[in-house]
Amino acid sequence: MNVLLIGSGGREHALAWALANSPLLSTLYAAPGNAGIGEVATLVSLDADDHAAVIGFCREKQIDLVVVGPEAPLVAGLVDDLEAAGIKAFGPSKAAAQLEGSKAFTKGVCDEADIPTAGYGRFDRKEDALAYIREKGAPIVVKADGLAAGKGVVVAMSEEDALEAVEACFDGSFGEAGAEVVIEEFMEGEEASFFVIVDGTTPLPLATAQDHKRAFDGDTGPNTGGMGAYSPAPVMSEDMIERTMREIIEPTVATMAKRGTPFKGVLYAGLMITTDGPKLIEYNTRFGDPECQVMMLRLKDDILTLMLASAEGSLNKVSARWHDDVALTVVMAAKGYPGAYEKGTNISGLAEASSDADVEVFHAGTKASDGKILSNGGRVLNITARGKTVREARDRAYAAVEKVDWPDGFCRSDIGWRAIERES
């Protein structure tokens, strides 16, 4: 099969790495890709926003499947246009991608399907949102309704912080994403990420993971797109997985199908594991980043077979098996991230860092220039390792981090701390 992968981040490098190992693969193209993806795929200069150009490329190269990595092209309807042109694609339609594209949309699905989630209010007028916060008090959670690259959520521990977050949304800090806000009750518990692959009617459970959203050690600092992750998540016991499927995933898939907007692709449930059981924080409609990186290291079965089954509606004929090993990834980010940061700084030592057979270095924001690897984003590298335990995987990952020579980067030093506490 000829496959086109859309995207340029660490998630896409992990997917490219897994796709490159598929016995079904003939040629893998990536648009636009990055320096790491370029080692396993042919990079092409295609604008994912130009659907006609993507379709033209697919026809020219006889692409059998398009894998859409990031959320923005999904919400923009790239899958719809590809399928209308007779080209298979992995990912949800524009209508189904609203599960990520609009927090208010997802809350509506939760109401309709009686899915456990936080109590909430939705507002398109700033004054009403401010009044709601003054009525409810803090802690409270303020979310820009639309896509904000993982940065449109504020967990406000004080009323003042919540009011500031509302002001930021309506003052345009998140562009159109903040034109409407969803304000939720603060939920106590432990967060976990749960992934299923869906073909419109059948949800097939994938793996669990735990992300670290805050920028600095001890889960302090601003929210980011994710500073590290590990899989599996110990908090997701077999019982908790069964409850999540029964109480959250299956009702969602059934409701979307009933509405005439069946969901295909990856459904990523951000969960809060409370004393009452799992509750949905939010949905994403693609693989997580950096959760995808740890999942691909643990996947036994062929990712391309699973993606094809999702696109063709035949998931009931395939399985998804996982290695028992733990995988853990440490994100190396440019100093200043998630605020202002410098691009184009030199990175070396990557071959040494990946010399261990149990370590993979996934590129998240890099470019190749004159034989050098340069930073080209906020989150730049994902140092990912396997081990029998979280501690072993963590130690391998940080040993590899030490071999990376990048003075302009930083990382958290405590990825996996919750799970390691459980092991000790």
Side-chain angles (χ1 to χ4, degrees):
M1 294 178 65
N2 295 328
V3 176
L4 171 63
L5 173 65
I6 303 289
S8 63
R11 166 185 48 226
E12 286 76 34
H13 188 186
L15 290 174
W17 175 83
L19 287 165
N21 291 320
S22 171
L24 298 180
L25 185 74
S26 299
T27 306
L28 178 61
Y29 299 94
N34 62 38
I37 295 171
E39 294 173 3
V40 292
T42 300
L43 302 187
V44 291
S45 183
L46 265 181
D47 180 0
D49 293 334
D50 187 344
H51 296 187
V54 174
I55 290 166
F57 177 85
C58 290
R59 286 179 172 151
E60 177 193 339
K61 299 295 184 183
Q62 297 181 310
I63 298 297
D64 298 293
L65 184 71
V66 178
V67 176
V68 185
E71 61 273 21
L74 296 169
V75 172
L78 178 57
V79 167
D80 306 66
D81 289 345
L82 286 165
E83 290 185 342
I87 300 161
K88 283 179 189 168
F90 175 74
S93 65
K94 180 176 183 176
Q98 283 301 291
L99 283 171
E100 177 164 6
S102 169
K103 310 243 179 353
F105 175 90
T106 296
K107 287 296 191 181
V109 171
C110 289
D111 289 344
E112 187 176 332
D114 198 25
I115 291 166
T117 187
Y120 73 101
R122 52 185 290 193
F123 306 93
D124 56 13
R125 292 182 69 250
K126 179 170 72 172
E127 294 72 18
D128 295 340
L130 296 173
Y132 184 80
I133 287 168
R134 292 189 182 102
E135 175 196 338
K136 296 292 184 182
I140 199 163
V141 181
V142 179
K143 297 180 176 182
D145 178 62
L147 296 179
K151 302 179 184 72
V153 176
V154 174
V155 180
M157 302 311 289
S158 71
E159 193 173 300
E160 181 184 3
D161 286 348
L163 296 173
E164 283 181 9
V166 168
E167 294 279 0
C169 284
F170 285 105
D171 288 352
S173 292
F174 306 107
E176 290 181 14
E180 184 173 354
V181 299
V182 172
I183 302 175
E184 295 182 345
E185 69 170 324
F186 176 80
M187 292 191 290
E188 293 275 5
E190 187 170 344
E191 286 191 45
S193 304
F194 183 65
F195 296 83
V196 295
I197 191 167
V198 191
D199 65 1
T201 55
T202 301
L204 177 68
L206 296 179
T208 65
Q210 201 151 37
D211 187 12
H212 298 64
K213 285 291 184 198
R214 300 284 188 155
F216 308 126
D217 285 6
D219 292 330
T220 60
N223 264 340
T224 71
M227 294 299 293
Y230 54 91
S231 174
V235 73
M236 291 299 289
S237 63
E238 286 301 318
D239 175 63
M240 202 60 70
I241 289 171
E242 190 275 329
R243 284 191 63 180
T244 300
M245 288 296 292
R246 176 167 40 88
E247 298 173 18
I248 296 175
I249 301 298
E250 289 168 4
T252 299
V253 172
T255 299
M256 293 298 285
K258 187 176 74 176
R259 285 179 167 202
T261 55
F263 187 91
K264 290 186 172 188
V266 171
L267 191 56
Y268 157 14
L271 303 174
M272 185 67 77
I273 309 304
T274 73
T275 52
D276 297 326
K279 292 189 176 183
L280 182 70
I281 300 171
E282 64 184 14
Y283 274 130
N284 293 321
T285 60
R286 35 73 191 178
F287 282 106
D289 189 346
E291 293 98 333
C292 183
Q293 289 82 314
V294 290
M295 289 170 62
M296 290 305 104
L297 249 65
R298 294 189 58 230
L299 181 63
K300 272 187 185 177
D301 287 299
D302 176 23
I303 188 64
L304 187 47
T305 297
L306 295 175
M307 289 174 166
L308 197 59
S310 167
E312 294 179 341
S314 56
L315 273 177
N316 59 339
K317 298 175 183 174
V318 298
S319 67
R321 296 169 300 165
W322 304 89
H323 292 287
D324 291 334
D325 281 1
V326 173
L328 181 144
T329 190
V330 177
V331 172
M332 297 189 73
K335 286 179 179 174
Y337 174 81
Y341 55 83
E342 188 180 349
K343 289 185 181 181
T345 58
N346 189 60
I347 305 167
S348 58
L350 296 179
E352 292 83 355
S354 58
S355 58
D356 185 328
D358 287 310
V359 173
E360 294 292 337
V361 176
F362 295 122
H363 293 227
T366 63
K367 65 177 181 181
S369 178
D370 297 327
K372 295 180 179 179
I373 302 295
L374 305 179
S375 68
N376 193 38
R379 293 185 298 166
V380 175
L381 297 169
N382 308 139
I383 314 299
T384 312
R386 283 177 289 243
K388 296 297 182 191
T389 63
V390 180
R391 186 182 298 276
E392 187 174 284
R394 190 253 340 241
D395 290 349
R396 278 197 181 121
Y398 280 110
V401 166
E402 289 298 316
K403 297 174 185 174
V404 177
D405 183 10
W406 183 35
D408 297 283
F410 80 99
C411 66
R412 280 181 55 163
S413 65
D414 64 346
I415 300 303
W417 67 270
R418 282 184 188 272
I420 287 167
E421 278 186 358
R422 278 191 170 88
E423 287 179 352
S424 40

